[in-house]
Amino acid sequence: MHALDILGDPVRRRILELLADGERSAGEIGDVVQGEFGISQPAVSQHLRVLRESGLATVRPEGTRRLYAIDPEPLESAASWFDPFRRFWQPHLDALGTELARGRRSRRLAAEAAETAGQATDAAPAPDGPSDPDEPEEN
């Protein structure tokens, strides 16, 4: 079965999203997936088996627990399938990156200008007279 066929299922995609944060036990995965999708524990186990048999996930025993993790290699080959199609969205993503960088630059320049203006105010000469209105003037 091709990786994209396996990733076409929303439950399996969610399991991989959970595993993207790091290794998780089958019980942890089951708790989240059962709550979000309303499926049984045996159904979660079946999805985990498909991910394991396809090579998208690995499992290792730790005592009575089974710990699952992502195997990145099959995901990389699935991602390479998209290479001929990247030309459709890559320019848009590049343009978005440029606009985000411009926004960060504008905010940085505005912050620098405000800081410079604040320093200029701090460096301005004190007005004539006492700086503390409760303090008497000296003659």
Side-chain angles (χ1 to χ4, degrees):
M1 186 179 284
H2 191 274
L4 294 178
D5 293 327
I6 293 163
L7 296 172
D9 185 281
V11 173
R12 290 192 284 265
R13 284 195 310 270
R14 180 62 176 131
I15 291 170
L16 288 176
E17 288 171 359
L18 293 170
L19 295 177
D21 291 334
E23 193 175 58
R24 288 187 180 239
S25 72
E28 289 176 282
I29 295 167
D31 290 344
V32 172
V33 172
Q34 286 174 301
E36 291 179 6
F37 291 91
I39 62 175
S40 66
Q41 184 277 325
V44 174
S45 295
Q46 181 68 20
H47 285 292
L48 288 169
R49 184 178 68 74
V50 169
L51 290 169
R52 189 179 64 247
E53 289 177 355
S54 69
L56 291 170
T58 61
V59 64
R60 71 176 180 88
E62 185 180 85
T64 59
R65 299 177 348 145
R66 298 289 177 254
L67 298 175
Y68 284 82
I70 286 182
D71 184 349
E73 189 176 318
L75 289 174
E76 290 166 1
S77 66
S80 70
W81 184 88
F82 287 100
D83 286 344
F85 306 101
R86 290 190 197 286
R87 65 186 171 96
F88 294 111
W89 67 78
Q90 195 62 51
H92 300 289
L93 292 175
D94 292 343
L96 175 61
T98 299
E99 290 304 315
L100 291 172
R102 283 182 183 155
R104 284 191 301 269
R105 182 175 184 270
S106 295
R107 286 189 299 279
R108 187 186 79 242
L109 291 175
E112 288 173 1
E115 184 178 309
T116 302
Q119 289 173 353
T121 304
D122 291 343
D128 293 338
S131 57
D132 185 354
D134 295 331
E135 193 175 295
E137 285 188 40
E138 294 180 20
N139 288 337

